[in-house]
Amino acid sequence: MDMATVNALPYEDFVNLLGNVVEKCPIITAAVWSGRPFLNFAALEAAISEFIDALPESGKEGVLRCHPDLAGRDLRGGTLTRESREEQTGAGMDALTSAEASRVTRLNEEYKERFGFPFIICARLSDKATVLRQLSERRRNERAVERARAVEEVKKICRLRLQALVRDDAQNKL
Amino acid sequence: MDMATVNALPYEDFVNLLGNVVEKCPIITAAVWSGRPFLNFAALEAAISEFIDALPESGKEGVLRCHPDLAGRDLRGGTLTRESREEQTGAGMDALTSAEASRVTRLNEEYKERFGFPFIICARLSDKATVLRQLSERRRNERAVERARAVEEVKKICRLRLQALVRDDAQNKL
């Protein structure tokens, strides 16, 4: 889909097609529709980023809390969104050893207990070893630092989900 | 569920249980979790209202665009959320005559064309005649007036959905 097509979409189609570029937050996609037409892919991506940045801290935490655990019960139970399932399985989260799975579960719980939101990482840019290392390291961050870091990961995930749906003529790499 | 129980919920359970009090906007529920504990039902309801009020106008429109049409294809196709289905069928939206259905479809399209968001009314507080009259009348409003009106309807819907889930000791009537 090119940007001319995106810009011509009624809001219902826009939200149906792009509503999960930020996990379970169709309100964000639905809000940025107000700002069309977008000059290019980067402008659409920037509109989403700016909407998130303008949310109060509670709203940013709300975005984070709409994300599933990595290698959590939604993956095991088959209740992830399509996008999350593809990202998590791509990073090997469905192929953890029993010891790795126990460790991830324990670290996820520690992380959520400390921060009140789940550990988020752009799985498409990671492998199993990176995920495990980051989860272990980031849980020691200060709360504000880690919240900002998690939001940056949400934006990376968003960019890649958008690129799977909308042609990015600039083809920027992360 | 009483407020003490609500206040003790981890964010995952809080969002699972209350995530659709604003249609398809779990981010709002997830955000207000940051403000717990809530003194009472009214405080929880107020936190949700205040979050919506603090959104930029595009964000308020985003909330509205997450709502389905009244008597639209989601009702016919069985793809409404449970809450919306109960509300729409309660107001007789599944029992329109052929002429009424055509009229609602036409007015919904006119309304969406004019405002860029769907017609929203608290169906539990309406009947078929009221819905049809309001749809016909409100499409003539100015945009800013109608946006504010639609947000008020979202809040009425939210209050009733909350009351179905959380005990409101004050039992305020709308």
mmCIF file of all heavy atoms in Angstrom, chain A residues 121-139:
data_model
loop_
_atom_site.group_PDB
_atom_site.id
_atom_site.type_symbol
_atom_site.label_atom_id
_atom_site.label_comp_id
_atom_site.label_asym_id
_atom_site.label_seq_id
_atom_site.Cartn_x
_atom_site.Cartn_y
_atom_site.Cartn_z
ATOM 1 N N ILE A 121 10.330 -5.455 24.260
ATOM 2 C CA ILE A 121 11.517 -5.321 23.415
ATOM 3 C C ILE A 121 11.083 -5.605 21.986
ATOM 4 O O ILE A 121 10.155 -6.391 21.762
ATOM 5 C CB ILE A 121 12.638 -6.296 23.870
ATOM 6 C CG1 ILE A 121 13.944 -6.029 23.108
ATOM 7 C CG2 ILE A 121 12.205 -7.739 23.734
ATOM 8 C CD1 ILE A 121 15.166 -6.756 23.713
ATOM 9 N N CYS A 122 11.699 -4.916 21.046
ATOM 10 C CA CYS A 122 11.377 -5.156 19.635
ATOM 11 C C CYS A 122 11.975 -6.509 19.243
ATOM 12 O O CYS A 122 13.159 -6.606 18.916
ATOM 13 C CB CYS A 122 11.923 -4.030 18.767
ATOM 14 S SG CYS A 122 11.558 -4.270 17.014
ATOM 15 N N ALA A 123 11.138 -7.541 19.296
ATOM 16 C CA ALA A 123 11.645 -8.910 19.132
ATOM 17 C C ALA A 123 12.223 -9.140 17.742
ATOM 18 O O ALA A 123 13.151 -9.942 17.584
ATOM 19 C CB ALA A 123 10.516 -9.917 19.420
ATOM 20 N N ARG A 124 11.697 -8.425 16.747
ATOM 21 C CA ARG A 124 12.219 -8.618 15.388
ATOM 22 C C ARG A 124 13.670 -8.176 15.257
ATOM 23 O O ARG A 124 14.349 -8.561 14.309
ATOM 24 C CB ARG A 124 11.381 -7.835 14.364
ATOM 25 C CG ARG A 124 10.077 -8.499 14.010
ATOM 26 C CD ARG A 124 9.544 -7.970 12.671
ATOM 27 N NE ARG A 124 8.155 -8.342 12.485
ATOM 28 C CZ ARG A 124 7.744 -9.540 12.073
ATOM 29 N NH1 ARG A 124 8.619 -10.495 11.804
ATOM 30 N NH2 ARG A 124 6.463 -9.790 11.933
ATOM 31 N N LEU A 125 14.113 -7.323 16.153
ATOM 32 C CA LEU A 125 15.505 -6.862 16.106
ATOM 33 C C LEU A 125 16.357 -7.579 17.151
ATOM 34 O O LEU A 125 17.464 -7.146 17.466
ATOM 35 C CB LEU A 125 15.557 -5.341 16.332
ATOM 36 C CG LEU A 125 14.797 -4.486 15.315
ATOM 37 C CD1 LEU A 125 14.848 -3.015 15.701
ATOM 38 C CD2 LEU A 125 15.377 -4.684 13.907
ATOM 39 N N SER A 126 15.815 -8.672 17.697
ATOM 40 C CA SER A 126 16.515 -9.378 18.777
ATOM 41 C C SER A 126 16.535 -10.874 18.505
ATOM 42 O O SER A 126 15.777 -11.372 17.685
ATOM 43 C CB SER A 126 15.809 -9.139 20.119
ATOM 44 O OG SER A 126 15.676 -7.769 20.393
ATOM 45 N N ASP A 127 17.393 -11.548 19.219
ATOM 46 C CA ASP A 127 17.312 -13.004 19.239
ATOM 47 C C ASP A 127 17.140 -13.434 20.696
ATOM 48 O O ASP A 127 17.077 -12.589 21.597
ATOM 49 C CB ASP A 127 18.545 -13.645 18.601
ATOM 50 C CG ASP A 127 19.831 -13.174 19.285
ATOM 51 O OD1 ASP A 127 19.745 -12.648 20.417
ATOM 52 O OD2 ASP A 127 20.903 -13.329 18.681
ATOM 53 N N LYS A 128 17.052 -14.716 20.893
ATOM 54 C CA LYS A 128 16.738 -15.225 22.222
ATOM 55 C C LYS A 128 17.750 -14.744 23.261
ATOM 56 O O LYS A 128 17.366 -14.298 24.351
ATOM 57 C CB LYS A 128 16.717 -16.757 22.162
ATOM 58 C CG LYS A 128 16.087 -17.427 23.329
ATOM 59 C CD LYS A 128 15.791 -18.888 23.023
ATOM 60 C CE LYS A 128 17.041 -19.730 23.069
ATOM 61 N NZ LYS A 128 16.688 -21.187 22.953
ATOM 62 N N ALA A 129 19.010 -14.811 22.910
ATOM 63 C CA ALA A 129 20.056 -14.423 23.875
ATOM 64 C C ALA A 129 19.930 -12.937 24.243
ATOM 65 O O ALA A 129 20.065 -12.565 25.413
ATOM 66 C CB ALA A 129 21.440 -14.710 23.284
ATOM 67 N N THR A 130 19.649 -12.108 23.229
ATOM 68 C CA THR A 130 19.510 -10.672 23.487
ATOM 69 C C THR A 130 18.309 -10.394 24.387
ATOM 70 O O THR A 130 18.385 -9.584 25.315
ATOM 71 C CB THR A 130 19.336 -9.916 22.153
ATOM 72 O OG1 THR A 130 20.360 -10.325 21.252
ATOM 73 C CG2 THR A 130 19.382 -8.416 22.367
ATOM 74 N N VAL A 131 17.193 -11.038 24.088
ATOM 75 C CA VAL A 131 15.989 -10.849 24.904
ATOM 76 C C VAL A 131 16.291 -11.191 26.360
ATOM 77 O O VAL A 131 15.973 -10.419 27.273
ATOM 78 C CB VAL A 131 14.827 -11.709 24.364
ATOM 79 C CG1 VAL A 131 13.682 -11.744 25.363
ATOM 80 C CG2 VAL A 131 14.355 -11.189 23.014
ATOM 81 N N LEU A 132 16.912 -12.345 26.572
ATOM 82 C CA LEU A 132 17.170 -12.775 27.945
ATOM 83 C C LEU A 132 18.132 -11.822 28.664
ATOM 84 O O LEU A 132 17.922 -11.490 29.829
ATOM 85 C CB LEU A 132 17.735 -14.208 27.947
ATOM 86 C CG LEU A 132 16.715 -15.289 27.558
ATOM 87 C CD1 LEU A 132 17.391 -16.631 27.306
ATOM 88 C CD2 LEU A 132 15.665 -15.431 28.667
ATOM 89 N N ARG A 133 19.141 -11.355 27.935
ATOM 90 C CA ARG A 133 20.116 -10.452 28.558
ATOM 91 C C ARG A 133 19.460 -9.103 28.900
ATOM 92 O O ARG A 133 19.629 -8.571 29.992
ATOM 93 C CB ARG A 133 21.310 -10.259 27.629
ATOM 94 C CG ARG A 133 22.484 -9.556 28.307
ATOM 95 C CD ARG A 133 23.684 -9.410 27.372
ATOM 96 N NE ARG A 133 23.367 -8.596 26.208
ATOM 97 C CZ ARG A 133 23.312 -9.052 24.950
ATOM 98 N NH1 ARG A 133 23.549 -10.315 24.679
ATOM 99 N NH2 ARG A 133 22.999 -8.236 23.957
ATOM 100 N N GLN A 134 18.687 -8.580 27.932
ATOM 101 C CA GLN A 134 18.033 -7.284 28.140
ATOM 102 C C GLN A 134 17.030 -7.353 29.299
ATOM 103 O O GLN A 134 16.913 -6.420 30.092
ATOM 104 C CB GLN A 134 17.298 -6.862 26.867
ATOM 105 C CG GLN A 134 18.227 -6.481 25.724
ATOM 106 C CD GLN A 134 18.626 -5.025 25.805
ATOM 107 O OE1 GLN A 134 17.810 -4.178 26.158
ATOM 108 N NE2 GLN A 134 19.878 -4.738 25.517
ATOM 109 N N LEU A 135 16.301 -8.439 29.339
ATOM 110 C CA LEU A 135 15.313 -8.593 30.421
ATOM 111 C C LEU A 135 16.017 -8.582 31.771
ATOM 112 O O LEU A 135 15.578 -7.916 32.722
ATOM 113 C CB LEU A 135 14.525 -9.890 30.205
ATOM 114 C CG LEU A 135 13.552 -10.338 31.285
ATOM 115 C CD1 LEU A 135 12.582 -9.233 31.661
ATOM 116 C CD2 LEU A 135 12.778 -11.572 30.814
ATOM 117 N N SER A 136 17.120 -9.258 31.837
ATOM 118 C CA SER A 136 17.866 -9.318 33.088
ATOM 119 C C SER A 136 18.459 -7.956 33.454
ATOM 120 O O SER A 136 18.415 -7.532 34.615
ATOM 121 C CB SER A 136 18.974 -10.362 32.952
ATOM 122 O OG SER A 136 19.718 -10.419 34.145
ATOM 123 N N GLU A 137 18.981 -7.245 32.446
ATOM 124 C CA GLU A 137 19.638 -5.964 32.717
ATOM 125 C C GLU A 137 18.651 -4.830 32.981
ATOM 126 O O GLU A 137 18.814 -4.053 33.923
ATOM 127 C CB GLU A 137 20.535 -5.577 31.526
ATOM 128 C CG GLU A 137 21.784 -6.434 31.410
ATOM 129 C CD GLU A 137 22.582 -6.136 30.146
ATOM 130 O OE1 GLU A 137 22.230 -5.177 29.419
ATOM 131 O OE2 GLU A 137 23.554 -6.860 29.900
ATOM 132 N N ARG A 138 17.644 -4.730 32.143
ATOM 133 C CA ARG A 138 16.755 -3.564 32.213
ATOM 134 C C ARG A 138 15.917 -3.547 33.486
ATOM 135 O O ARG A 138 15.453 -2.482 33.915
ATOM 136 C CB ARG A 138 15.880 -3.484 30.958
ATOM 137 C CG ARG A 138 16.660 -2.946 29.740
ATOM 138 C CD ARG A 138 15.890 -3.037 28.433
ATOM 139 N NE ARG A 138 14.511 -2.587 28.578
ATOM 140 C CZ ARG A 138 13.582 -2.774 27.642
ATOM 141 N NH1 ARG A 138 13.882 -3.358 26.486
ATOM 142 N NH2 ARG A 138 12.348 -2.362 27.852
ATOM 143 N N ARG A 139 15.707 -4.702 34.094
ATOM 144 C CA ARG A 139 14.877 -4.695 35.319
ATOM 145 C C ARG A 139 15.553 -3.941 36.440
ATOM 146 O O ARG A 139 14.932 -3.653 37.471
ATOM 147 C CB ARG A 139 14.518 -6.130 35.733
ATOM 148 C CG ARG A 139 15.586 -6.865 36.491
ATOM 149 C CD ARG A 139 15.398 -8.359 36.446
ATOM 150 N NE ARG A 139 16.696 -8.989 36.411
ATOM 151 C CZ ARG A 139 17.203 -9.732 37.412
ATOM 152 N NH1 ARG A 139 16.496 -10.009 38.474
ATOM 153 N NH2 ARG A 139 18.418 -10.216 37.316
#
